[in-house]
Amino acid sequence: MAGNGGIIGPVNTITDDYKDKVTAITGSGTFNKATCNPAAPGLATVVVVAGGGGSGGDGGGAGGAGGMTVTEDHPLPGSAIPVTIGGGGAGGPAPAGPRVSSQGVASTFGSSTPLSTVGGGYGGYATCRCGGNGGSGGGGMESAPGGVGAGGCGTACQGNNGGGLAAPGNGAAGGGGGKGGVGQPGVAPSAPTCGVQGGTGLDITPYLACAATPYTIPNCGKYAGGGGGRLYSGSCNSNAFGGGSCGSYPPAPYPGQNGTTNTGGGAGAGAGNNDGGTGGPGVVVVVEKCQAASGVIASGIWQMNTVYENVKDGNWSN
């Protein structure tokens, strides 16, 4: 009989299957490298998302998404790493007053080579019709009488510009920019569409292909979407990447909707006579490489008694 248990062919060994460790950080504090990550420098893919911008009230523009970066093969020190999770910017009030919409707050992963992103731009408001600059720019607000408020500018490699106004129209407001695209411009109320979309965000799940399961991350890994802009009437949908939907008018109250928590989503534009929304707080996701064995793998032809032992131990899958 063949020495491999009766199967003709070479004897193959079963080896450990290593998986990545995923850690989502949703509040400011410190991060410590896993003990099974190789000694300094351990490597990781680090996703950093800042807080989204607030939207203008009383028909103001939408908030831009917080800046977002994905850094692969980032070195991790053996010591604790300080992490700051940026909060979302505040929305403006209605009727317009001295309080205005505000920019989101930066997020930082403070390793030896710090990673930092810029908060999302605020949406335009009554006394400052243009959207603010930020990680992604905020949407513009119609300028009286019937002028065009420009969208804010995004930061290179972190986000995109907010939408201005394609043409004057009663109460139009631009969408906020997102990591993956610009915010749409506001349009006149006679336009056939009801929604002004914020810029799309980024889905990080491709970076989690080798992750050990189960793991938990906010919003299924879809981050940094811009807030929705607005027409004079009708409604609009929220952004799947965390950006809030706009309010509609004339029904009241319909404030701009907040960005989704821990996505860096921009707030949706507030309808006339309604408050703006608050941007979504940011998040940091760390995907550490070469972690502890998460199972066993084998290929080719192997001994029958090895198959038996693994079936008995519950390590065999068809």
Side-chain angles (χ1 to χ4, degrees):
M1 178 178 291
N4 62 1
I7 302 299
I8 303 302
V11 175
N12 288 291
T13 58
I14 294 178
T15 58
D16 290 329
D17 182 20
Y18 291 90
K19 295 289 187 179
D20 298 339
K21 180 183 178 183
V22 178
T23 303
I25 307 170
T26 57
S28 298
T30 58
F31 170 82
N32 289 281
K33 179 174 70 69
T35 56
C36 47
N37 198 332
L43 298 178
T45 295
V46 182
V47 179
V48 181
V49 185
S55 59
D58 207 8
M68 178 177 181
T69 58
V70 180
T71 306
E72 298 183 69
D73 296 325
H74 186 70
L76 302 178
S79 57
I81 299 171
V83 180
T84 300
I85 302 299
R99 183 169 66 84
V100 297
S101 55
S102 61
Q103 183 176 355
V105 180
S107 290
T108 301
F109 186 76
S111 54
S112 55
T113 306
L115 304 174
S116 185
T117 52
V118 180
Y122 57 79
Y125 51 92
T127 57
C128 184
R129 303 280 175 143
C130 294
N133 301 333
S136 283
M141 176 183 182
E142 182 183 38
S143 299
V148 176
C153 295
T155 300
C157 302
Q158 295 192 21
N160 287 279
N161 295 346
L165 300 181
N170 189 1
K179 169 65 176 177
V182 299
Q184 289 186 355
V187 293
S190 59
T193 58
C194 68
V196 176
Q197 293 297 316
T200 189
L202 179 68
D203 186 349
I204 70 167
T205 53
Y207 298 97
L208 310 178
C210 295
T213 55
Y215 59 82
T216 301
I217 56 175
N219 205 46
C220 299
K222 296 181 178 180
Y223 304 134
R230 192 184 62 76
L231 299 183
Y232 180 72
S233 61
S235 60
C236 53
N237 297 324
S238 60
N239 188 307
F241 295 84
S245 63
C246 70
S248 63
Y249 183 84
Y254 277 99
Q257 298 301 297
N258 299 336
T260 303
T261 299
N262 294 127
T263 66
N273 301 319
N274 287 273
D275 294 343
T278 299
V283 66
V284 168
V285 179
V286 184
V287 186
E288 297 183 77
K289 304 299 180 183
C290 299
Q291 296 304 301
S294 298
V296 293
I297 56 175
S299 61
I301 303 169
W302 359 280
Q303 297 173 335
M304 294 176 66
N305 60 336
T306 301
V307 175
Y308 169 76
E309 292 296 332
N310 279 276
V311 170
K312 182 177 68 175
D313 295 338
N315 292 328
W316 187 270
S317 60
N318 294 322

